[in-house]
Amino acid sequence: MKRALVTGGAGFLGSHLCERLLKDGYRVVALDSLYTGSRENIAHLAGDANFEFAEGDVIGMDKMDLGDFDEVYNLACPASPVHYQARPMYTTDTCIFGMKNCLAVAERCGAKLLHASTSEIYGDPLVHPQTEKYWGNVNTIGIRSCYDEGKRIAETIASDHARLLGTDVRMVRIFNTYGPRMHPQDGRVVSNFIMQALRGEDITVYGNGSQTRSFQYASDLIEAMRRYMELPKETVAAFVAKHSLGAPVVNTGNPGEYTIRQLAEEVLRQIPESKSKIVEKPLPGDDPKKRKPDIALAGELLGGWKPAVPLREGLAATIEYFRGRK
Ligand code: UDP
């Protein structure tokens, strides 16, 4: 039976990944500091003999004995602007030391390592849609920099290990992803708008709402991650060479692009009983104006993978989840 380590395993995405790995017949260890993850996210997995939860921080993982693994998934990092900006130095440390510690485990065990990178590495992009070859437009000293630059250096560290040591690294740049188990107070736009609409509070559109995002439903991302990890190392290497990528990195996201105002309107359409009104609040610093993934490479590498869940459907399922929690 294969063993997988999921850092950030009690988080929103980590918990979905653990669930999928258990279904796929793995023994799974979920490591989580519970800074933004929660025991509630993995409570339904607790009775599974193949699942183990280890409370601990990926920054100190080198001092923990978690055993040996065939696959390592590095998802540990606060990902909501509210949370990563609340503890910016911690966020940067998580990116750097988390990456190094995951690489060390993968190298010791000869394991595959899948790293969860982000569309934030493109910053406020000047190329649209964003392709993997775009280097980004990132502020080094702004309020988003702890996350953006942290995630950028993590990619650098992983790429150097792959090049110099032959470590079997794979990276996904994840574009805005949503779904059940997002924390209601997560601070990100989808959970904020749904909670506000359900509670009859003002829907807080930052700026005039003309900035765009592309929203990927969680299960589409998990499917991409699993397909990527299943590929032989040689297949990944040949793909990197064919496309002169420099390192094994692909975008994963849903290319459907919406303005934030459109998202607010769609949430209200799906919660018709809501008394909420859309209000404008100041736009936070360095907020990217546009974001949309080019997913051609992911499609080619991952056997025709493309998102299966449109925003309307994914929102309905997410609203259902939040209704249950309200
Ligand atoms: N946003 C908003 N209202 C909110 C939360 C976020 O208008 O209550 C906007 C935010 O300014 C950004 C977009 O929604 O333009 C996505 O924000 P989120 O925090 O979800 O993720 P980001 O893509 O910015 O990391």
PDB file of all heavy atoms in Angstrom, residues 79-82 84 119-120 144 147 176 186-190 192-193 196 203-207 209 211-213 215 260 263 282-284 287-288 291, ligand 1:
ATOM      1  N   ALA A  79      -3.474  30.608   2.738  1.00  0.00           N
ATOM      2  CA  ALA A  79      -3.624  31.024   1.333  1.00  0.00           C
ATOM      3  C   ALA A  79      -4.599  32.180   1.142  1.00  0.00           C
ATOM      4  O   ALA A  79      -4.670  32.757   0.064  1.00  0.00           O
ATOM      5  CB  ALA A  79      -4.066  29.827   0.491  1.00  0.00           C
ATOM      6  N   SER A  80      -5.343  32.505   2.184  1.00  0.00           N
ATOM      7  CA  SER A  80      -6.260  33.642   2.060  1.00  0.00           C
ATOM      8  C   SER A  80      -5.498  34.922   2.412  1.00  0.00           C
ATOM      9  O   SER A  80      -4.780  34.949   3.422  1.00  0.00           O
ATOM     10  CB  SER A  80      -7.432  33.437   3.029  1.00  0.00           C
ATOM     11  OG  SER A  80      -7.948  34.691   3.411  1.00  0.00           O
ATOM     12  N   PRO A  81      -5.643  35.973   1.604  1.00  0.00           N
ATOM     13  CA  PRO A  81      -4.928  37.217   1.911  1.00  0.00           C
ATOM     14  C   PRO A  81      -5.092  37.662   3.366  1.00  0.00           C
ATOM     15  O   PRO A  81      -4.132  38.078   4.014  1.00  0.00           O
ATOM     16  CB  PRO A  81      -5.525  38.224   0.923  1.00  0.00           C
ATOM     17  CG  PRO A  81      -5.920  37.381  -0.259  1.00  0.00           C
ATOM     18  CD  PRO A  81      -6.383  36.079   0.326  1.00  0.00           C
ATOM     19  N   VAL A  82      -6.284  37.527   3.922  1.00  0.00           N
ATOM     20  CA  VAL A  82      -6.514  37.948   5.308  1.00  0.00           C
ATOM     21  C   VAL A  82      -5.576  37.191   6.242  1.00  0.00           C
ATOM     22  O   VAL A  82      -4.936  37.781   7.120  1.00  0.00           O
ATOM     23  CB  VAL A  82      -7.992  37.694   5.713  1.00  0.00           C
ATOM     24  CG1 VAL A  82      -8.199  37.964   7.198  1.00  0.00           C
ATOM     25  CG2 VAL A  82      -8.918  38.542   4.878  1.00  0.00           C
ATOM     26  N   TYR A  84      -2.782  35.212   5.420  1.00  0.00           N
ATOM     27  CA  TYR A  84      -1.327  35.281   5.193  1.00  0.00           C
ATOM     28  C   TYR A  84      -0.787  36.660   5.543  1.00  0.00           C
ATOM     29  O   TYR A  84       0.366  36.788   5.939  1.00  0.00           O
ATOM     30  CB  TYR A  84      -0.903  34.746   3.824  1.00  0.00           C
ATOM     31  CG  TYR A  84      -1.240  35.528   2.571  1.00  0.00           C
ATOM     32  CD1 TYR A  84      -0.695  36.782   2.327  1.00  0.00           C
ATOM     33  CD2 TYR A  84      -2.040  34.970   1.571  1.00  0.00           C
ATOM     34  CE1 TYR A  84      -0.978  37.466   1.137  1.00  0.00           C
ATOM     35  CE2 TYR A  84      -2.328  35.638   0.398  1.00  0.00           C
ATOM     36  CZ  TYR A  84      -1.794  36.899   0.187  1.00  0.00           C
ATOM     37  OH  TYR A  84      -2.064  37.566  -0.979  1.00  0.00           O
ATOM     38  N   SER A 119      -1.256  30.996  -8.610  1.00  0.00           N
ATOM     39  CA  SER A 119      -1.314  32.041  -9.635  1.00  0.00           C
ATOM     40  C   SER A 119      -0.750  33.357  -9.118  1.00  0.00           C
ATOM     41  O   SER A 119      -0.442  34.253  -9.908  1.00  0.00           O
ATOM     42  CB  SER A 119      -2.776  32.256 -10.053  1.00  0.00           C
ATOM     43  OG  SER A 119      -3.568  32.537  -8.909  1.00  0.00           O
ATOM     44  N   GLU A 120      -0.620  33.486  -7.785  1.00  0.00           N
ATOM     45  CA  GLU A 120      -0.053  34.715  -7.211  1.00  0.00           C
ATOM     46  C   GLU A 120       1.389  34.938  -7.651  1.00  0.00           C
ATOM     47  O   GLU A 120       1.905  36.045  -7.545  1.00  0.00           O
ATOM     48  CB  GLU A 120      -0.106  34.670  -5.685  1.00  0.00           C
ATOM     49  CG  GLU A 120      -1.472  34.950  -5.112  1.00  0.00           C
ATOM     50  CD  GLU A 120      -1.921  36.407  -5.219  1.00  0.00           C
ATOM     51  OE1 GLU A 120      -1.099  37.301  -5.001  1.00  0.00           O
ATOM     52  OE2 GLU A 120      -3.091  36.617  -5.531  1.00  0.00           O
ATOM     53  N   ARG A 144       1.020  41.833  -0.164  1.00  0.00           N
ATOM     54  CA  ARG A 144       0.849  40.473  -0.679  1.00  0.00           C
ATOM     55  C   ARG A 144       2.191  39.763  -0.871  1.00  0.00           C
ATOM     56  O   ARG A 144       2.234  38.573  -1.190  1.00  0.00           O
ATOM     57  CB  ARG A 144       0.110  40.499  -2.031  1.00  0.00           C
ATOM     58  CG  ARG A 144      -1.314  40.995  -1.955  1.00  0.00           C
ATOM     59  CD  ARG A 144      -1.947  41.083  -3.331  1.00  0.00           C
ATOM     60  NE  ARG A 144      -2.550  39.834  -3.723  1.00  0.00           N
ATOM     61  CZ  ARG A 144      -3.871  39.570  -3.641  1.00  0.00           C
ATOM     62  NH1 ARG A 144      -4.706  40.456  -3.189  1.00  0.00           N
ATOM     63  NH2 ARG A 144      -4.340  38.421  -4.024  1.00  0.00           N
ATOM     64  N   TYR A 147       3.411  36.301   0.632  1.00  0.00           N
ATOM     65  CA  TYR A 147       2.867  35.098  -0.009  1.00  0.00           C
ATOM     66  C   TYR A 147       3.415  34.959  -1.426  1.00  0.00           C
ATOM     67  O   TYR A 147       3.944  33.899  -1.793  1.00  0.00           O
ATOM     68  CB  TYR A 147       1.344  35.199  -0.033  1.00  0.00           C
ATOM     69  CG  TYR A 147       0.640  33.975  -0.558  1.00  0.00           C
ATOM     70  CD1 TYR A 147       0.562  32.814   0.197  1.00  0.00           C
ATOM     71  CD2 TYR A 147       0.020  33.988  -1.803  1.00  0.00           C
ATOM     72  CE1 TYR A 147      -0.114  31.689  -0.280  1.00  0.00           C
ATOM     73  CE2 TYR A 147      -0.661  32.878  -2.284  1.00  0.00           C
ATOM     74  CZ  TYR A 147      -0.724  31.728  -1.527  1.00  0.00           C
ATOM     75  OH  TYR A 147      -1.390  30.623  -2.001  1.00  0.00           O
ATOM     76  N   ASN A 176      -7.543  30.722  -8.216  1.00  0.00           N
ATOM     77  CA  ASN A 176      -8.603  30.790  -7.191  1.00  0.00           C
ATOM     78  C   ASN A 176      -9.479  29.540  -7.176  1.00  0.00           C
ATOM     79  O   ASN A 176     -10.156  29.245  -8.169  1.00  0.00           O
ATOM     80  CB  ASN A 176      -9.501  32.009  -7.425  1.00  0.00           C
ATOM     81  CG  ASN A 176      -8.733  33.307  -7.280  1.00  0.00           C
ATOM     82  OD1 ASN A 176      -7.803  33.570  -8.041  1.00  0.00           O
ATOM     83  ND2 ASN A 176      -9.100  34.110  -6.310  1.00  0.00           N
ATOM     84  N   ASP A 186     -12.884  32.728   6.246  1.00  0.00           N
ATOM     85  CA  ASP A 186     -11.642  32.618   5.497  1.00  0.00           C
ATOM     86  C   ASP A 186     -11.208  33.966   4.916  1.00  0.00           C
ATOM     87  O   ASP A 186     -10.025  34.236   4.773  1.00  0.00           O
ATOM     88  CB  ASP A 186     -11.893  31.601   4.375  1.00  0.00           C
ATOM     89  CG  ASP A 186     -10.747  31.459   3.435  1.00  0.00           C
ATOM     90  OD1 ASP A 186      -9.846  30.691   3.756  1.00  0.00           O
ATOM     91  OD2 ASP A 186     -10.745  32.130   2.395  1.00  0.00           O
ATOM     92  N   GLY A 187     -12.165  34.800   4.590  1.00  0.00           N
ATOM     93  CA  GLY A 187     -11.840  36.146   4.081  1.00  0.00           C
ATOM     94  C   GLY A 187     -11.752  36.215   2.579  1.00  0.00           C
ATOM     95  O   GLY A 187     -11.665  37.296   2.003  1.00  0.00           O
ATOM     96  N   ARG A 188     -11.767  35.060   1.915  1.00  0.00           N
ATOM     97  CA  ARG A 188     -11.704  35.107   0.445  1.00  0.00           C
ATOM     98  C   ARG A 188     -13.086  35.404  -0.132  1.00  0.00           C
ATOM     99  O   ARG A 188     -14.098  35.272   0.536  1.00  0.00           O
ATOM    100  CB  ARG A 188     -11.144  33.796  -0.103  1.00  0.00           C
ATOM    101  CG  ARG A 188      -9.623  33.852  -0.079  1.00  0.00           C
ATOM    102  CD  ARG A 188      -9.000  32.616  -0.614  1.00  0.00           C
ATOM    103  NE  ARG A 188      -9.077  31.555   0.357  1.00  0.00           N
ATOM    104  CZ  ARG A 188      -8.344  30.452   0.308  1.00  0.00           C
ATOM    105  NH1 ARG A 188      -7.480  30.272  -0.659  1.00  0.00           N
ATOM    106  NH2 ARG A 188      -8.461  29.526   1.226  1.00  0.00           N
ATOM    107  N   VAL A 189     -13.054  35.769  -1.389  1.00  0.00           N
ATOM    108  CA  VAL A 189     -14.253  36.391  -1.937  1.00  0.00           C
ATOM    109  C   VAL A 189     -15.457  35.448  -1.986  1.00  0.00           C
ATOM    110  O   VAL A 189     -16.581  35.853  -1.663  1.00  0.00           O
ATOM    111  CB  VAL A 189     -13.945  37.039  -3.311  1.00  0.00           C
ATOM    112  CG1 VAL A 189     -13.662  35.990  -4.394  1.00  0.00           C
ATOM    113  CG2 VAL A 189     -15.045  37.956  -3.740  1.00  0.00           C
ATOM    114  N   VAL A 190     -15.255  34.191  -2.359  1.00  0.00           N
ATOM    115  CA  VAL A 190     -16.404  33.302  -2.510  1.00  0.00           C
ATOM    116  C   VAL A 190     -17.074  33.058  -1.150  1.00  0.00           C
ATOM    117  O   VAL A 190     -18.296  33.213  -1.000  1.00  0.00           O
ATOM    118  CB  VAL A 190     -15.994  31.961  -3.169  1.00  0.00           C
ATOM    119  CG1 VAL A 190     -17.151  30.971  -3.141  1.00  0.00           C
ATOM    120  CG2 VAL A 190     -15.539  32.197  -4.612  1.00  0.00           C
ATOM    121  N   ASN A 192     -16.756  34.875   1.599  1.00  0.00           N
ATOM    122  CA  ASN A 192     -17.305  36.138   2.104  1.00  0.00           C
ATOM    123  C   ASN A 192     -18.674  36.425   1.518  1.00  0.00           C
ATOM    124  O   ASN A 192     -19.626  36.697   2.238  1.00  0.00           O
ATOM    125  CB  ASN A 192     -16.380  37.310   1.737  1.00  0.00           C
ATOM    126  CG  ASN A 192     -15.321  37.573   2.806  1.00  0.00           C
ATOM    127  OD1 ASN A 192     -15.138  36.763   3.713  1.00  0.00           O
ATOM    128  ND2 ASN A 192     -14.631  38.687   2.690  1.00  0.00           N
ATOM    129  N   PHE A 193     -18.766  36.376   0.186  1.00  0.00           N
ATOM    130  CA  PHE A 193     -20.025  36.752  -0.469  1.00  0.00           C
ATOM    131  C   PHE A 193     -21.165  35.805  -0.062  1.00  0.00           C
ATOM    132  O   PHE A 193     -22.288  36.240   0.201  1.00  0.00           O
ATOM    133  CB  PHE A 193     -19.872  36.767  -1.998  1.00  0.00           C
ATOM    134  CG  PHE A 193     -19.111  37.959  -2.538  1.00  0.00           C
ATOM    135  CD1 PHE A 193     -18.562  38.913  -1.680  1.00  0.00           C
ATOM    136  CD2 PHE A 193     -18.951  38.138  -3.910  1.00  0.00           C
ATOM    137  CE1 PHE A 193     -17.864  40.017  -2.179  1.00  0.00           C
ATOM    138  CE2 PHE A 193     -18.256  39.240  -4.418  1.00  0.00           C
ATOM    139  CZ  PHE A 193     -17.703  40.174  -3.553  1.00  0.00           C
ATOM    140  N   GLN A 196     -22.120  36.472   3.599  1.00  0.00           N
ATOM    141  CA  GLN A 196     -22.813  37.762   3.705  1.00  0.00           C
ATOM    142  C   GLN A 196     -24.242  37.647   3.166  1.00  0.00           C
ATOM    143  O   GLN A 196     -25.196  38.136   3.790  1.00  0.00           O
ATOM    144  CB  GLN A 196     -22.032  38.842   2.932  1.00  0.00           C
ATOM    145  CG  GLN A 196     -20.724  39.232   3.623  1.00  0.00           C
ATOM    146  CD  GLN A 196     -19.747  39.964   2.703  1.00  0.00           C
ATOM    147  OE1 GLN A 196     -19.865  39.920   1.477  1.00  0.00           O
ATOM    148  NE2 GLN A 196     -18.764  40.625   3.308  1.00  0.00           N
ATOM    149  N   ILE A 203     -22.919  42.900   0.871  1.00  0.00           N
ATOM    150  CA  ILE A 203     -21.917  42.156   0.085  1.00  0.00           C
ATOM    151  C   ILE A 203     -20.791  43.149  -0.208  1.00  0.00           C
ATOM    152  O   ILE A 203     -21.007  44.147  -0.909  1.00  0.00           O
ATOM    153  CB  ILE A 203     -22.508  41.659  -1.252  1.00  0.00           C
ATOM    154  CG1 ILE A 203     -23.814  40.890  -1.018  1.00  0.00           C
ATOM    155  CG2 ILE A 203     -21.491  40.868  -2.060  1.00  0.00           C
ATOM    156  CD1 ILE A 203     -23.711  39.426  -0.897  1.00  0.00           C
ATOM    157  N   THR A 204     -19.612  42.866   0.326  1.00  0.00           N
ATOM    158  CA  THR A 204     -18.506  43.832   0.259  1.00  0.00           C
ATOM    159  C   THR A 204     -17.664  43.638  -1.000  1.00  0.00           C
ATOM    160  O   THR A 204     -16.769  42.791  -1.038  1.00  0.00           O
ATOM    161  CB  THR A 204     -17.608  43.676   1.502  1.00  0.00           C
ATOM    162  OG1 THR A 204     -17.161  42.301   1.583  1.00  0.00           O
ATOM    163  CG2 THR A 204     -18.341  44.043   2.785  1.00  0.00           C
ATOM    164  N   VAL A 205     -17.971  44.411  -2.009  1.00  0.00           N
ATOM    165  CA  VAL A 205     -17.149  44.400  -3.222  1.00  0.00           C
ATOM    166  C   VAL A 205     -15.998  45.387  -3.011  1.00  0.00           C
ATOM    167  O   VAL A 205     -16.239  46.558  -2.706  1.00  0.00           O
ATOM    168  CB  VAL A 205     -17.996  44.802  -4.453  1.00  0.00           C
ATOM    169  CG1 VAL A 205     -17.109  45.154  -5.638  1.00  0.00           C
ATOM    170  CG2 VAL A 205     -18.956  43.672  -4.821  1.00  0.00           C
ATOM    171  N   TYR A 206     -14.777  44.924  -3.125  1.00  0.00           N
ATOM    172  CA  TYR A 206     -13.619  45.813  -2.951  1.00  0.00           C
ATOM    173  C   TYR A 206     -13.339  46.532  -4.275  1.00  0.00           C
ATOM    174  O   TYR A 206     -13.289  45.890  -5.339  1.00  0.00           O
ATOM    175  CB  TYR A 206     -12.378  45.031  -2.504  1.00  0.00           C
ATOM    176  CG  TYR A 206     -12.539  44.290  -1.182  1.00  0.00           C
ATOM    177  CD1 TYR A 206     -11.696  43.217  -0.860  1.00  0.00           C
ATOM    178  CD2 TYR A 206     -13.521  44.661  -0.261  1.00  0.00           C
ATOM    179  CE1 TYR A 206     -11.834  42.540   0.341  1.00  0.00           C
ATOM    180  CE2 TYR A 206     -13.660  43.971   0.946  1.00  0.00           C
ATOM    181  CZ  TYR A 206     -12.821  42.914   1.234  1.00  0.00           C
ATOM    182  OH  TYR A 206     -12.949  42.233   2.421  1.00  0.00           O
ATOM    183  N   GLY A 207     -13.152  47.845  -4.191  1.00  0.00           N
ATOM    184  CA  GLY A 207     -13.003  48.642  -5.408  1.00  0.00           C
ATOM    185  C   GLY A 207     -14.355  48.731  -6.103  1.00  0.00           C
ATOM    186  O   GLY A 207     -15.410  48.612  -5.461  1.00  0.00           O
ATOM    187  N   GLY A 209     -15.301  46.528  -8.310  1.00  0.00           N
ATOM    188  CA  GLY A 209     -15.714  45.171  -8.670  1.00  0.00           C
ATOM    189  C   GLY A 209     -15.412  44.801 -10.113  1.00  0.00           C
ATOM    190  O   GLY A 209     -15.878  43.777 -10.608  1.00  0.00           O
ATOM    191  N   GLN A 211     -12.381  44.160 -11.210  1.00  0.00           N
ATOM    192  CA  GLN A 211     -11.263  43.202 -11.269  1.00  0.00           C
ATOM    193  C   GLN A 211     -11.827  41.800 -11.531  1.00  0.00           C
ATOM    194  O   GLN A 211     -12.954  41.509 -11.141  1.00  0.00           O
ATOM    195  CB  GLN A 211     -10.432  43.235  -9.966  1.00  0.00           C
ATOM    196  CG  GLN A 211     -11.075  42.678  -8.715  1.00  0.00           C
ATOM    197  CD  GLN A 211     -11.887  43.708  -7.937  1.00  0.00           C
ATOM    198  OE1 GLN A 211     -12.531  44.565  -8.513  1.00  0.00           O
ATOM    199  NE2 GLN A 211     -11.870  43.608  -6.622  1.00  0.00           N
ATOM    200  N   THR A 212     -11.033  40.971 -12.202  1.00  0.00           N
ATOM    201  CA  THR A 212     -11.545  39.638 -12.564  1.00  0.00           C
ATOM    202  C   THR A 212     -10.772  38.524 -11.859  1.00  0.00           C
ATOM    203  O   THR A 212      -9.605  38.690 -11.499  1.00  0.00           O
ATOM    204  CB  THR A 212     -11.471  39.384 -14.091  1.00  0.00           C
ATOM    205  OG1 THR A 212     -10.093  39.255 -14.481  1.00  0.00           O
ATOM    206  CG2 THR A 212     -12.144  40.484 -14.880  1.00  0.00           C
ATOM    207  N   ARG A 213     -11.459  37.416 -11.694  1.00  0.00           N
ATOM    208  CA  ARG A 213     -10.843  36.187 -11.226  1.00  0.00           C
ATOM    209  C   ARG A 213     -11.495  35.033 -11.985  1.00  0.00           C
ATOM    210  O   ARG A 213     -12.601  35.161 -12.511  1.00  0.00           O
ATOM    211  CB  ARG A 213     -11.068  35.967  -9.719  1.00  0.00           C
ATOM    212  CG  ARG A 213     -10.377  36.965  -8.793  1.00  0.00           C
ATOM    213  CD  ARG A 213      -8.862  36.861  -8.820  1.00  0.00           C
ATOM    214  NE  ARG A 213      -8.242  37.717  -7.818  1.00  0.00           N
ATOM    215  CZ  ARG A 213      -7.923  39.000  -8.023  1.00  0.00           C
ATOM    216  NH1 ARG A 213      -8.187  39.575  -9.194  1.00  0.00           N
ATOM    217  NH2 ARG A 213      -7.339  39.704  -7.076  1.00  0.00           N
ATOM    218  N   PHE A 215     -12.595  31.071 -11.303  1.00  0.00           N
ATOM    219  CA  PHE A 215     -12.849  30.255 -10.117  1.00  0.00           C
ATOM    220  C   PHE A 215     -12.920  28.773 -10.449  1.00  0.00           C
ATOM    221  O   PHE A 215     -13.762  28.339 -11.240  1.00  0.00           O
ATOM    222  CB  PHE A 215     -14.141  30.713  -9.439  1.00  0.00           C
ATOM    223  CG  PHE A 215     -14.073  32.145  -8.974  1.00  0.00           C
ATOM    224  CD1 PHE A 215     -14.627  33.163  -9.731  1.00  0.00           C
ATOM    225  CD2 PHE A 215     -13.415  32.470  -7.791  1.00  0.00           C
ATOM    226  CE1 PHE A 215     -14.557  34.487  -9.306  1.00  0.00           C
ATOM    227  CE2 PHE A 215     -13.336  33.788  -7.367  1.00  0.00           C
ATOM    228  CZ  PHE A 215     -13.904  34.810  -8.120  1.00  0.00           C
ATOM    229  N   ILE A 260     -15.599  40.614 -10.218  1.00  0.00           N
ATOM    230  CA  ILE A 260     -16.021  40.362  -8.841  1.00  0.00           C
ATOM    231  C   ILE A 260     -17.479  40.813  -8.660  1.00  0.00           C
ATOM    232  O   ILE A 260     -18.247  40.195  -7.921  1.00  0.00           O
ATOM    233  CB  ILE A 260     -15.038  41.064  -7.872  1.00  0.00           C
ATOM    234  CG1 ILE A 260     -13.665  40.370  -7.971  1.00  0.00           C
ATOM    235  CG2 ILE A 260     -15.558  41.068  -6.446  1.00  0.00           C
ATOM    236  CD1 ILE A 260     -13.655  38.863  -7.725  1.00  0.00           C
ATOM    237  N   LEU A 263     -19.641  38.045  -9.818  1.00  0.00           N
ATOM    238  CA  LEU A 263     -19.700  36.976  -8.812  1.00  0.00           C
ATOM    239  C   LEU A 263     -20.719  37.336  -7.733  1.00  0.00           C
ATOM    240  O   LEU A 263     -21.544  36.490  -7.341  1.00  0.00           O
ATOM    241  CB  LEU A 263     -18.312  36.769  -8.183  1.00  0.00           C
ATOM    242  CG  LEU A 263     -18.279  35.709  -7.082  1.00  0.00           C
ATOM    243  CD1 LEU A 263     -18.401  34.296  -7.658  1.00  0.00           C
ATOM    244  CD2 LEU A 263     -16.990  35.809  -6.249  1.00  0.00           C
ATOM    245  N   PRO A 282     -12.949  49.914   0.097  1.00  0.00           N
ATOM    246  CA  PRO A 282     -11.657  50.219  -0.543  1.00  0.00           C
ATOM    247  C   PRO A 282     -10.946  48.966  -1.055  1.00  0.00           C
ATOM    248  O   PRO A 282     -11.001  47.912  -0.425  1.00  0.00           O
ATOM    249  CB  PRO A 282     -10.851  50.869   0.584  1.00  0.00           C
ATOM    250  CG  PRO A 282     -11.850  51.291   1.602  1.00  0.00           C
ATOM    251  CD  PRO A 282     -13.030  50.378   1.477  1.00  0.00           C
ATOM    252  N   LEU A 283     -10.299  49.124  -2.181  1.00  0.00           N
ATOM    253  CA  LEU A 283      -9.547  48.011  -2.778  1.00  0.00           C
ATOM    254  C   LEU A 283      -8.216  47.847  -2.022  1.00  0.00           C
ATOM    255  O   LEU A 283      -7.481  48.811  -1.858  1.00  0.00           O
ATOM    256  CB  LEU A 283      -9.273  48.343  -4.251  1.00  0.00           C
ATOM    257  CG  LEU A 283      -8.698  47.249  -5.125  1.00  0.00           C
ATOM    258  CD1 LEU A 283      -9.695  46.111  -5.318  1.00  0.00           C
ATOM    259  CD2 LEU A 283      -8.286  47.815  -6.490  1.00  0.00           C
ATOM    260  N   PRO A 284      -7.911  46.640  -1.542  1.00  0.00           N
ATOM    261  CA  PRO A 284      -6.628  46.440  -0.848  1.00  0.00           C
ATOM    262  C   PRO A 284      -5.439  46.658  -1.788  1.00  0.00           C
ATOM    263  O   PRO A 284      -5.583  46.562  -3.015  1.00  0.00           O
ATOM    264  CB  PRO A 284      -6.684  44.977  -0.393  1.00  0.00           C
ATOM    265  CG  PRO A 284      -8.087  44.522  -0.592  1.00  0.00           C
ATOM    266  CD  PRO A 284      -8.696  45.401  -1.627  1.00  0.00           C
ATOM    267  N   ASP A 287      -3.885  44.536  -5.331  1.00  0.00           N
ATOM    268  CA  ASP A 287      -4.912  43.570  -5.745  1.00  0.00           C
ATOM    269  C   ASP A 287      -4.835  43.375  -7.267  1.00  0.00           C
ATOM    270  O   ASP A 287      -5.003  44.334  -8.020  1.00  0.00           O
ATOM    271  CB  ASP A 287      -6.283  44.126  -5.351  1.00  0.00           C
ATOM    272  CG  ASP A 287      -7.347  43.056  -5.244  1.00  0.00           C
ATOM    273  OD1 ASP A 287      -7.840  42.626  -6.310  1.00  0.00           O
ATOM    274  OD2 ASP A 287      -7.675  42.668  -4.120  1.00  0.00           O
ATOM    275  N   PRO A 288      -4.546  42.151  -7.727  1.00  0.00           N
ATOM    276  CA  PRO A 288      -4.436  41.946  -9.179  1.00  0.00           C
ATOM    277  C   PRO A 288      -5.721  42.345  -9.919  1.00  0.00           C
ATOM    278  O   PRO A 288      -6.814  42.042  -9.462  1.00  0.00           O
ATOM    279  CB  PRO A 288      -4.165  40.446  -9.304  1.00  0.00           C
ATOM    280  CG  PRO A 288      -3.547  40.066  -8.001  1.00  0.00           C
ATOM    281  CD  PRO A 288      -4.229  40.924  -6.977  1.00  0.00           C
ATOM    282  N   ARG A 291      -7.201  38.056 -13.768  1.00  0.00           N
ATOM    283  CA  ARG A 291      -6.544  36.755 -13.618  1.00  0.00           C
ATOM    284  C   ARG A 291      -7.341  35.698 -14.355  1.00  0.00           C
ATOM    285  O   ARG A 291      -8.553  35.591 -14.186  1.00  0.00           O
ATOM    286  CB  ARG A 291      -6.432  36.403 -12.140  1.00  0.00           C
ATOM    287  CG  ARG A 291      -5.650  35.133 -11.912  1.00  0.00           C
ATOM    288  CD  ARG A 291      -5.570  34.787 -10.457  1.00  0.00           C
ATOM    289  NE  ARG A 291      -4.667  35.645  -9.716  1.00  0.00           N
ATOM    290  CZ  ARG A 291      -4.768  35.840  -8.408  1.00  0.00           C
ATOM    291  NH1 ARG A 291      -5.726  35.261  -7.733  1.00  0.00           N
ATOM    292  NH2 ARG A 291      -3.896  36.605  -7.792  1.00  0.00           N
TER     293      ARG A 291
HETATM  294  N1  UDP B   1     -12.785  40.676  -2.720  1.00  0.00           N
HETATM  295  C1  UDP B   1     -13.936  41.453  -2.599  1.00  0.00           C
HETATM  296  N2  UDP B   1     -14.660  41.329  -1.455  1.00  0.00           N
HETATM  297  C2  UDP B   1     -14.334  40.480  -0.445  1.00  0.00           C
HETATM  298  C3  UDP B   1     -13.174  39.683  -0.590  1.00  0.00           C
HETATM  299  C4  UDP B   1     -12.427  39.822  -1.748  1.00  0.00           C
HETATM  300  O1  UDP B   1     -14.287  42.229  -3.485  1.00  0.00           O
HETATM  301  O2  UDP B   1     -15.068  40.440   0.554  1.00  0.00           O
HETATM  302  C5  UDP B   1     -12.017  40.785  -3.980  1.00  0.00           C
HETATM  303  C6  UDP B   1     -10.524  41.008  -3.770  1.00  0.00           C
HETATM  304  O3  UDP B   1     -10.236  42.392  -3.654  1.00  0.00           O
HETATM  305  C7  UDP B   1      -9.977  40.394  -5.043  1.00  0.00           C
HETATM  306  C8  UDP B   1     -10.930  39.251  -5.375  1.00  0.00           C
HETATM  307  O4  UDP B   1     -12.125  39.559  -4.660  1.00  0.00           O
HETATM  308  O5  UDP B   1     -10.004  41.320  -6.101  1.00  0.00           O
HETATM  309  C9  UDP B   1     -10.427  37.902  -4.946  1.00  0.00           C
HETATM  310  O6  UDP B   1     -10.029  37.994  -3.610  1.00  0.00           O
HETATM  311  P1  UDP B   1      -9.573  36.747  -2.745  1.00  0.00           P
HETATM  312  O7  UDP B   1      -9.189  37.271  -1.400  1.00  0.00           O
HETATM  313  O8  UDP B   1     -10.620  35.690  -2.787  1.00  0.00           O
HETATM  314  O9  UDP B   1      -8.312  36.133  -3.501  1.00  0.00           O
HETATM  315  P2  UDP B   1      -7.115  36.738  -4.359  1.00  0.00           P
HETATM  316  O10 UDP B   1      -7.362  36.245  -5.723  1.00  0.00           O
HETATM  317  O11 UDP B   1      -7.147  38.241  -4.315  1.00  0.00           O
HETATM  318  O12 UDP B   1      -5.906  36.190  -3.706  1.00  0.00           O
END
